[in-house]
Short mmCIF file of all heavy atoms in Angstrom, two decimals:
data_model
loop_
_atom_site.label_atom_id
_atom_site.label_comp_id
_atom_site.label_asym_id
_atom_site.label_seq_id
_atom_site.Cartn_x
_atom_site.Cartn_y
_atom_site.Cartn_z
N TYR A 1 95.86 115.43 151.44
CA TYR A 1 96.00 114.17 150.71
C TYR A 1 94.92 114.14 149.64
O TYR A 1 93.79 113.75 149.89
CB TYR A 1 95.87 113.01 151.70
CG TYR A 1 95.91 111.62 151.10
CD1 TYR A 1 96.89 111.26 150.18
CD2 TYR A 1 94.97 110.68 151.46
CE1 TYR A 1 96.93 109.99 149.65
CE2 TYR A 1 95.00 109.40 150.94
CZ TYR A 1 95.98 109.06 150.03
OH TYR A 1 96.01 107.80 149.50
N SER A 2 95.28 114.59 148.44
CA SER A 2 94.28 114.80 147.39
C SER A 2 93.57 113.51 146.97
O SER A 2 92.36 113.54 146.72
CB SER A 2 94.90 115.49 146.18
OG SER A 2 95.95 114.72 145.64
N LEU A 3 94.28 112.40 146.90
CA LEU A 3 93.62 111.15 146.53
C LEU A 3 92.58 110.75 147.59
O LEU A 3 91.48 110.30 147.26
CB LEU A 3 94.65 110.03 146.35
CG LEU A 3 94.11 108.68 145.90
CD1 LEU A 3 93.36 108.80 144.58
CD2 LEU A 3 95.25 107.68 145.78
N GLY A 4 92.91 110.96 148.85
CA GLY A 4 91.96 110.67 149.93
C GLY A 4 90.75 111.59 149.87
O GLY A 4 89.62 111.17 150.16
N ILE A 5 90.97 112.84 149.48
CA ILE A 5 89.86 113.78 149.34
C ILE A 5 88.93 113.32 148.23
O ILE A 5 87.70 113.29 148.40
CB ILE A 5 90.38 115.21 149.06
CG1 ILE A 5 91.17 115.74 150.26
CG2 ILE A 5 89.23 116.15 148.71
CD1 ILE A 5 91.93 117.03 150.00
N ILE A 6 89.50 112.93 147.10
CA ILE A 6 88.69 112.45 145.97
C ILE A 6 87.89 111.22 146.38
O ILE A 6 86.68 111.13 146.11
CB ILE A 6 89.60 112.14 144.76
CG1 ILE A 6 90.20 113.43 144.21
CG2 ILE A 6 88.82 111.39 143.67
CD1 ILE A 6 91.34 113.21 143.24
N ARG A 7 88.53 110.28 147.03
CA ARG A 7 87.84 109.06 147.46
C ARG A 7 86.73 109.38 148.46
O ARG A 7 85.64 108.82 148.39
CB ARG A 7 88.83 108.08 148.07
CG ARG A 7 89.74 107.46 147.05
CD ARG A 7 90.75 106.55 147.70
NE ARG A 7 91.56 105.87 146.71
CZ ARG A 7 92.69 105.25 147.00
NH1 ARG A 7 93.13 105.21 148.24
NH2 ARG A 7 93.38 104.66 146.04
N GLY A 8 87.02 110.28 149.39
CA GLY A 8 86.01 110.67 150.37
C GLY A 8 84.81 111.33 149.72
O GLY A 8 83.67 111.05 150.07
N LEU A 9 85.07 112.23 148.78
CA LEU A 9 83.98 112.92 148.09
C LEU A 9 83.11 111.93 147.32
O LEU A 9 81.87 112.01 147.36
CB LEU A 9 84.54 113.98 147.13
CG LEU A 9 85.18 115.20 147.79
CD1 LEU A 9 85.95 116.02 146.75
CD2 LEU A 9 84.13 116.05 148.49
N ASN A 10 83.75 110.99 146.62
CA ASN A 10 82.98 109.98 145.89
C ASN A 10 82.17 109.09 146.84
O ASN A 10 81.03 108.74 146.56
CB ASN A 10 83.90 109.13 145.01
CG ASN A 10 84.14 109.75 143.66
OD1 ASN A 10 83.23 110.26 143.01
ND2 ASN A 10 85.38 109.73 143.22
N CYS A 11 82.77 108.76 147.96
CA CYS A 11 82.08 107.92 148.94
C CYS A 11 80.85 108.64 149.51
O CYS A 11 79.77 108.05 149.64
CB CYS A 11 83.04 107.52 150.05
SG CYS A 11 82.38 106.31 151.20
N ILE A 12 81.00 109.89 149.84
CA ILE A 12 79.86 110.66 150.36
C ILE A 12 78.81 110.82 149.26
O ILE A 12 77.61 110.73 149.53
CB ILE A 12 80.33 112.02 150.91
CG1 ILE A 12 81.22 111.80 152.14
CG2 ILE A 12 79.13 112.91 151.27
CD1 ILE A 12 81.96 113.04 152.60
N GLY A 13 79.26 111.04 148.04
CA GLY A 13 78.33 111.08 146.91
C GLY A 13 77.54 109.80 146.78
O GLY A 13 76.33 109.80 146.53
N ASN A 14 78.22 108.67 146.98
CA ASN A 14 77.53 107.37 146.93
C ASN A 14 76.47 107.26 148.02
O ASN A 14 75.39 106.71 147.79
CB ASN A 14 78.53 106.22 147.09
CG ASN A 14 79.42 106.06 145.89
OD1 ASN A 14 79.10 106.51 144.79
ND2 ASN A 14 80.57 105.43 146.08
N TYR A 15 76.77 107.77 149.19
CA TYR A 15 75.80 107.76 150.29
C TYR A 15 74.53 108.50 149.87
O TYR A 15 73.42 108.00 150.02
CB TYR A 15 76.40 108.38 151.55
CG TYR A 15 75.36 108.67 152.61
CD1 TYR A 15 74.90 107.64 153.44
CD2 TYR A 15 74.82 109.93 152.76
CE1 TYR A 15 73.93 107.90 154.40
CE2 TYR A 15 73.86 110.19 153.71
CZ TYR A 15 73.41 109.16 154.52
OH TYR A 15 72.44 109.41 155.46
N TYR A 16 74.72 109.72 149.35
CA TYR A 16 73.55 110.51 148.96
C TYR A 16 72.81 109.86 147.78
O TYR A 16 71.58 109.91 147.72
CB TYR A 16 73.95 111.95 148.63
CG TYR A 16 74.24 112.76 149.86
CD1 TYR A 16 75.50 113.27 150.12
CD2 TYR A 16 73.23 113.02 150.79
CE1 TYR A 16 75.75 114.02 151.27
CE2 TYR A 16 73.48 113.75 151.94
CZ TYR A 16 74.73 114.24 152.17
OH TYR A 16 74.98 114.97 153.31
N PHE A 17 73.55 109.26 146.87
CA PHE A 17 72.91 108.56 145.75
C PHE A 17 72.02 107.42 146.24
O PHE A 17 70.89 107.27 145.80
CB PHE A 17 73.98 108.02 144.79
CG PHE A 17 73.42 107.22 143.65
CD1 PHE A 17 72.71 107.84 142.64
CD2 PHE A 17 73.62 105.85 143.59
CE1 PHE A 17 72.20 107.10 141.59
CE2 PHE A 17 73.11 105.10 142.55
CZ PHE A 17 72.40 105.72 141.54
N GLN A 18 72.52 106.65 147.19
CA GLN A 18 71.74 105.54 147.74
C GLN A 18 70.53 106.01 148.52
O GLN A 18 69.55 105.28 148.65
CB GLN A 18 72.63 104.67 148.63
CG GLN A 18 73.69 103.92 147.86
CD GLN A 18 74.69 103.22 148.76
OE1 GLN A 18 74.66 103.36 149.98
NE2 GLN A 18 75.58 102.46 148.15
N ARG A 19 70.58 107.23 149.01
CA ARG A 19 69.46 107.80 149.77
C ARG A 19 68.51 108.61 148.88
O ARG A 19 67.62 109.28 149.35
CB ARG A 19 69.97 108.70 150.89
CG ARG A 19 70.82 108.02 151.92
CD ARG A 19 69.97 107.13 152.82
NE ARG A 19 70.75 106.47 153.83
CZ ARG A 19 71.23 105.23 153.74
NH1 ARG A 19 71.00 104.53 152.65
NH2 ARG A 19 71.93 104.69 154.70
N ASP A 20 68.75 108.58 147.56
CA ASP A 20 67.93 109.30 146.57
C ASP A 20 67.98 110.81 146.76
O ASP A 20 67.01 111.51 146.47
CB ASP A 20 66.48 108.82 146.58
CG ASP A 20 66.35 107.35 146.22
OD1 ASP A 20 67.19 106.85 145.46
OD2 ASP A 20 65.40 106.70 146.70
N ILE A 21 69.10 111.32 147.24
CA ILE A 21 69.31 112.76 147.37
C ILE A 21 70.29 113.14 146.26
O ILE A 21 71.48 113.34 146.47
CB ILE A 21 69.84 113.13 148.77
CG1 ILE A 21 68.93 112.56 149.85
CG2 ILE A 21 69.95 114.65 148.92
CD1 ILE A 21 69.46 112.68 151.26
N TYR A 22 69.73 113.19 145.06
CA TYR A 22 70.56 113.27 143.86
C TYR A 22 71.31 114.58 143.70
O TYR A 22 72.44 114.57 143.20
CB TYR A 22 69.71 112.98 142.62
CG TYR A 22 69.09 111.61 142.66
CD1 TYR A 22 67.72 111.45 142.53
CD2 TYR A 22 69.87 110.47 142.84
CE1 TYR A 22 67.15 110.18 142.57
CE2 TYR A 22 69.32 109.22 142.88
CZ TYR A 22 67.95 109.07 142.75
OH TYR A 22 67.41 107.82 142.81
N ASP A 23 70.74 115.69 144.12
CA ASP A 23 71.44 116.96 143.96
C ASP A 23 72.73 117.00 144.78
O ASP A 23 73.77 117.47 144.32
CB ASP A 23 70.54 118.15 144.28
CG ASP A 23 69.94 118.11 145.68
OD1 ASP A 23 69.72 117.00 146.22
OD2 ASP A 23 69.69 119.19 146.24
N LYS A 24 72.68 116.45 145.99
CA LYS A 24 73.90 116.41 146.83
C LYS A 24 74.90 115.40 146.27
O LYS A 24 76.11 115.64 146.31
CB LYS A 24 73.55 116.07 148.27
CG LYS A 24 72.95 117.23 149.02
CD LYS A 24 73.03 117.01 150.50
CE LYS A 24 72.64 118.28 151.21
NZ LYS A 24 73.28 118.41 152.49
N ALA A 25 74.40 114.29 145.76
CA ALA A 25 75.29 113.29 145.16
C ALA A 25 76.06 113.90 143.99
O ALA A 25 77.29 113.76 143.91
CB ALA A 25 74.49 112.07 144.70
N ILE A 26 75.35 114.61 143.12
CA ILE A 26 75.99 115.26 141.97
C ILE A 26 77.03 116.27 142.44
O ILE A 26 78.12 116.36 141.88
CB ILE A 26 74.93 115.97 141.09
CG1 ILE A 26 74.04 114.95 140.37
CG2 ILE A 26 75.58 116.91 140.08
CD1 ILE A 26 74.65 114.32 139.16
N ASP A 27 76.71 117.00 143.49
CA ASP A 27 77.64 118.01 144.02
C ASP A 27 78.96 117.35 144.45
O ASP A 27 80.04 117.82 144.08
CB ASP A 27 77.00 118.76 145.18
CG ASP A 27 77.90 119.83 145.75
OD1 ASP A 27 78.46 120.62 144.95
OD2 ASP A 27 78.05 119.89 146.99
N TYR A 28 78.87 116.28 145.21
CA TYR A 28 80.09 115.61 145.70
C TYR A 28 80.85 114.95 144.55
O TYR A 28 82.08 115.02 144.49
CB TYR A 28 79.75 114.60 146.79
CG TYR A 28 79.55 115.25 148.12
CD1 TYR A 28 78.28 115.58 148.57
CD2 TYR A 28 80.63 115.57 148.94
CE1 TYR A 28 78.08 116.21 149.80
CE2 TYR A 28 80.45 116.20 150.17
CZ TYR A 28 79.18 116.52 150.59
OH TYR A 28 79.00 117.14 151.80
N TYR A 29 80.12 114.32 143.62
CA TYR A 29 80.79 113.70 142.47
C TYR A 29 81.50 114.75 141.62
O TYR A 29 82.61 114.51 141.13
CB TYR A 29 79.78 112.95 141.60
CG TYR A 29 79.17 111.72 142.23
CD1 TYR A 29 77.88 111.33 141.88
CD2 TYR A 29 79.85 110.93 143.14
CE1 TYR A 29 77.29 110.20 142.42
CE2 TYR A 29 79.28 109.80 143.69
CZ TYR A 29 78.00 109.43 143.32
OH TYR A 29 77.43 108.31 143.85
N THR A 30 80.88 115.91 141.46
CA THR A 30 81.48 116.97 140.65
C THR A 30 82.74 117.52 141.32
O THR A 30 83.75 117.77 140.65
CB THR A 30 80.46 118.11 140.42
OG1 THR A 30 79.30 117.56 139.76
CG2 THR A 30 81.04 119.21 139.56
N GLN A 31 82.69 117.68 142.63
CA GLN A 31 83.89 118.12 143.36
C GLN A 31 85.03 117.12 143.16
O GLN A 31 86.18 117.51 142.93
CB GLN A 31 83.59 118.26 144.84
CG GLN A 31 82.71 119.43 145.20
CD GLN A 31 82.47 119.47 146.70
OE1 GLN A 31 83.41 119.53 147.48
NE2 GLN A 31 81.21 119.42 147.10
N ALA A 32 84.70 115.83 143.25
CA ALA A 32 85.71 114.79 143.07
C ALA A 32 86.27 114.83 141.65
O ALA A 32 87.48 114.68 141.44
CB ALA A 32 85.11 113.42 143.37
N MET A 33 85.40 115.05 140.67
CA MET A 33 85.84 115.09 139.28
C MET A 33 86.79 116.27 139.05
O MET A 33 87.82 116.12 138.39
CB MET A 33 84.66 115.18 138.33
CG MET A 33 85.05 115.12 136.87
SD MET A 33 83.65 115.18 135.75
CE MET A 33 82.98 116.79 136.13
N LYS A 34 86.47 117.43 139.60
CA LYS A 34 87.32 118.61 139.42
C LYS A 34 88.71 118.38 140.01
O LYS A 34 89.72 118.74 139.39
CB LYS A 34 86.66 119.84 140.03
CG LYS A 34 85.49 120.34 139.23
CD LYS A 34 84.83 121.53 139.88
CE LYS A 34 83.61 121.98 139.08
NZ LYS A 34 82.91 123.09 139.73
N LEU A 35 88.76 117.79 141.20
CA LEU A 35 90.07 117.49 141.80
C LEU A 35 90.83 116.46 140.98
O LEU A 35 92.06 116.55 140.82
CB LEU A 35 89.90 117.00 143.23
CG LEU A 35 89.53 118.05 144.27
CD1 LEU A 35 89.26 117.39 145.62
CD2 LEU A 35 90.66 119.06 144.41
N SER A 36 90.12 115.47 140.46
CA SER A 36 90.74 114.45 139.63
C SER A 36 91.33 115.06 138.37
O SER A 36 92.42 114.68 137.92
CB SER A 36 89.72 113.37 139.25
OG SER A 36 89.21 112.74 140.39
N GLU A 37 90.60 116.02 137.78
CA GLU A 37 91.10 116.70 136.58
C GLU A 37 92.34 117.52 136.91
O GLU A 37 93.28 117.56 136.11
CB GLU A 37 90.00 117.57 135.98
CG GLU A 37 88.90 116.76 135.34
CD GLU A 37 87.70 117.59 134.91
OE1 GLU A 37 87.54 118.74 135.39
OE2 GLU A 37 86.91 117.07 134.11
N GLN A 38 92.36 118.15 138.06
CA GLN A 38 93.54 118.93 138.47
C GLN A 38 94.76 118.02 138.62
O GLN A 38 95.88 118.42 138.28
CB GLN A 38 93.28 119.66 139.78
CG GLN A 38 92.33 120.81 139.66
CD GLN A 38 91.99 121.42 141.01
OE1 GLN A 38 92.45 120.97 142.06
NE2 GLN A 38 91.16 122.46 141.00
N ARG A 39 94.52 116.81 139.12
CA ARG A 39 95.62 115.84 139.30
C ARG A 39 95.97 115.12 138.01
O ARG A 39 96.95 114.38 137.95
CB ARG A 39 95.21 114.77 140.32
CG ARG A 39 95.21 115.21 141.73
CD ARG A 39 94.88 114.04 142.59
NE ARG A 39 95.70 112.89 142.16
CZ ARG A 39 96.19 111.98 142.94
NH1 ARG A 39 95.95 112.01 144.21
NH2 ARG A 39 96.91 110.99 142.48
N LYS A 40 95.12 115.28 136.98
CA LYS A 40 95.28 114.54 135.72
C LYS A 40 95.25 113.03 135.97
O LYS A 40 96.01 112.26 135.38
CB LYS A 40 96.54 114.96 134.99
CG LYS A 40 96.55 116.43 134.58
CD LYS A 40 97.81 116.78 133.86
CE LYS A 40 97.94 118.18 133.38
NZ LYS A 40 97.15 119.23 133.84
N ASP A 41 94.34 112.62 136.84
CA ASP A 41 94.18 111.21 137.22
C ASP A 41 93.01 110.63 136.43
O ASP A 41 91.85 110.73 136.84
CB ASP A 41 93.91 111.12 138.73
CG ASP A 41 93.92 109.69 139.23
OD1 ASP A 41 93.64 108.76 138.45
OD2 ASP A 41 94.19 109.51 140.44
#
């Protein structure tokens, strides 16, 4: 379920962002962005 994957990745990225673990946040956000681009969403 690609939309669920994107949402999950962004949500986990938000968790790391709130915990000031920026490198992991960027990693999850980037994964979500790549999937979003593949879906053309």
Side-chain angles (χ1 to χ4, degrees):
Y1 177 48
S2 60
L3 183 58
I5 295 170
I6 293 167
R7 289 177 176 165
L9 290 168
N10 274 317
C11 188
I12 294 169
N14 290 339
Y15 168 80
Y16 284 116
F17 176 70
Q18 291 172 355
R19 298 287 180 263
D20 299 330
I21 307 171
Y22 300 125
D23 57 330
K24 284 198 171 209
I26 291 281
D27 181 47
Y28 280 96
Y29 292 150
T30 302
Q31 288 180 58
M33 184 179 62
K34 287 178 183 177
L35 286 175
S36 299
E37 289 172 342
Q38 288 174 359
R39 285 184 47 145
K40 297 181 179 17
D41 188 334

